[in-house]
């Protein structure tokens, strides 16, 4: 696929991250995750449909085709290996890593990716919890259960975050981390925050309604 621009690649990656391999993702989710206008999403999705990379079902949402999944997996592998390198080896803060990983990913040959993977010891997950496909395309399926949908009283573990700068900055501020175990205390009505209690410390944390749609839990 040589007609893939970096922008198209970003859309394929975010649709994959939001679960578009297995289910329908809404225009609104894509627009919020990429910080772009809803009209731009519609326009880009139309292009990706015409290229056979996504399927758009009116009123249901957007999912990836087999070709779209293959392209997205390859992009995700490159991006997340660079994120791992930048955080683990160059001490980047998690919320600052995305833009540089993005630039590096587009300029990386297959040979360089292989050497990077070897150098890092074949990591299975990136710093924000996303899986990294192996060179053969193998990976464990990710959780697509959203914190927003977790029932009051249930106990969950933070599995991963969508790779979005504002979200990661916000989560750094409220100190919510991958692997944190918590009990859902309350869903405040009218799109209010979700209150959770961390199991280890007993601390209560309020998580905004929007952010809860980009935090995946087990």
């Amino acid at each position: 696929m040589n007609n893939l621009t970096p922008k198209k690649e970003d859309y394929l990656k975010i649709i994959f991250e939001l679960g578009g391999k297995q289910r329908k993702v809404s225009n609104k989710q894509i627009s919020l995750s990429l910080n772009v206008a809803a009209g731009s999403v519609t326009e880009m999705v139309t292009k990706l449909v015409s290229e056979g990379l996504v399927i758009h079902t009116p009123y249901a949402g957007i999912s990836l085709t087999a070709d779209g999944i293959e392209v997205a997996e390859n992009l995700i592998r490159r991006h997340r290996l660079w994120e791992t390198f930048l955080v683990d080896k160059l001490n980047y803060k998690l919320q600052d890593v995305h833009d540089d990983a993005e630039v590096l990913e587009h300029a990386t040959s297959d040979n360089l990716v292989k050497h990077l993977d070897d150098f890092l010891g074949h990591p299975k997950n990136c710093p924000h919890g996303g899986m990294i496909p192996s060179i053969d395309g193998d990976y464990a399926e990710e959780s697509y259960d959203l914190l927003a949908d977790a029932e009051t009283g249930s106990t969950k573990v933070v599995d991963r975050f969508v790779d979005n700068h504002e979200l990661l900055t916000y989560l750094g501020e409220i100190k919510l981390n991958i692997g944190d175990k918590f009990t859902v205390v309350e869903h405040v009505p009218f799109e209010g925050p979700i209150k959770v209690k961390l199991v280890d410390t007993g601390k209560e944390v309020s998580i905004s309604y929007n952010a809860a749609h980009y935090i995946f839990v087990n």
Side-chain angles (χ1 to χ4, degrees), residues 4-11 13 44 102 105-106:
L4 272 187
T5 60
K7 194 164 268 187
K8 286 180 186 173
E9 292 179 346
D10 287 345
Y11 273 81
K13 278 190 306 191
M44 180 58 84
E102 189 81 8
E105 151 205 339
H106 296 308

Side-chain angles (χ1 to χ4, degrees), residues 128-143:
H128 55 82
M131 61 71 211
I132 301 175
S134 74
I135 197 162
D136 305 319
D138 299 328
Y139 55 90
E141 283 301 332
E142 297 184 308
S143 163

Side-chain angles (χ1 to χ4, degrees), residues 84-145:
T84 305
F85 175 80
L86 293 172
V87 169
D88 290 359
K89 305 298 178 190
L90 299 187
N91 302 320
Y92 269 61
K93 283 185 178 166
L94 181 56
Q95 62 266 35
D96 297 336
V97 83
H98 178 81
D99 289 352
D100 285 347
E102 189 81 8
V103 172
L104 289 162
E105 151 205 339
H106 296 308
T108 301
S109 67
D110 290 346
N111 189 32
L112 178 51
V113 175
K114 183 185 178 307
H115 282 272
L116 182 62
D117 191 23
D118 290 345
F119 174 71
L120 292 169
H122 313 290
K124 298 268 189 290
N125 294 89
C126 75
H128 55 82
M131 61 71 211
I132 301 175
S134 74
I135 197 162
D136 305 319
D138 299 328
Y139 55 90
E141 283 301 332
E142 297 184 308
S143 163
Y144 296 115
D145 295 337

Side-chain angles (χ1 to χ4, degrees), residues 14-131:
I14 206 68
I15 294 167
F16 185 94
E17 273 203 74
L18 292 168
K21 178 181 176 182
Q22 299 179 335
R23 61 182 191 178
K24 302 287 182 193
V25 173
S26 72
N27 271 36
K28 188 180 177 186
Q29 279 182 292
I30 297 169
S31 132
L32 284 171
S33 297
L34 292 177
N35 300 326
V36 294
S40 306
V41 175
T42 306
E43 204 177 305
M44 180 58 84
V45 165
T46 305
K47 288 179 187 167
L48 294 171
V49 167
S50 71
E51 289 171 25
L53 296 168
V54 305
I55 298 160
H56 182 214
T57 313
Y59 309 110
I62 297 133
S63 56
L64 295 166
T65 63
D67 283 348
I69 290 168
E70 192 179 331
V71 174
E73 286 173 349
N74 187 25
L75 294 167
I76 291 265
R77 171 173 158 76
R78 290 161 189 261
H79 187 82
R80 291 180 177 175
L81 281 171
W82 278 120
E83 286 190 323
T84 305
F85 175 80
L86 293 172
V87 169
D88 290 359
K89 305 298 178 190
L90 299 187
N91 302 320
Y92 269 61
K93 283 185 178 166
L94 181 56
Q95 62 266 35
D96 297 336
V97 83
H98 178 81
D99 289 352
D100 285 347
E102 189 81 8
V103 172
L104 289 162
E105 151 205 339
H106 296 308
T108 301
S109 67
D110 290 346
N111 189 32
L112 178 51
V113 175
K114 183 185 178 307
H115 282 272
L116 182 62
D117 191 23
D118 290 345
F119 174 71
L120 292 169
H122 313 290
K124 298 268 189 290
N125 294 89
C126 75
H128 55 82
M131 61 71 211

Side-chain angles (χ1 to χ4, degrees), residues 109-197:
S109 67
D110 290 346
N111 189 32
L112 178 51
V113 175
K114 183 185 178 307
H115 282 272
L116 182 62
D117 191 23
D118 290 345
F119 174 71
L120 292 169
H122 313 290
K124 298 268 189 290
N125 294 89
C126 75
H128 55 82
M131 61 71 211
I132 301 175
S134 74
I135 197 162
D136 305 319
D138 299 328
Y139 55 90
E141 283 301 332
E142 297 184 308
S143 163
Y144 296 115
D145 295 337
L146 294 171
L147 169 56
D149 299 331
E151 289 180 13
T152 302
S154 63
T155 299
K156 302 285 181 186
V157 176
V158 179
D159 185 55
R160 67 187 175 95
F161 307 132
V162 167
D163 188 3
N164 170 290
H165 176 76
E166 283 174 33
L167 174 74
L168 295 171
T169 304
Y170 170 75
L171 294 171
E173 284 165 5
I174 65 169
K175 296 188 167 44
L176 189 71
N177 300 305
I178 304 292
D180 280 355
K181 190 176 187 181
F182 61 84
T183 303
V184 180
V185 176
E186 183 189 6
H187 286 259
V188 177
F190 298 107
E191 299 193 356
I194 291 162
K195 295 184 176 179
V196 306
K197 187 174 189 175

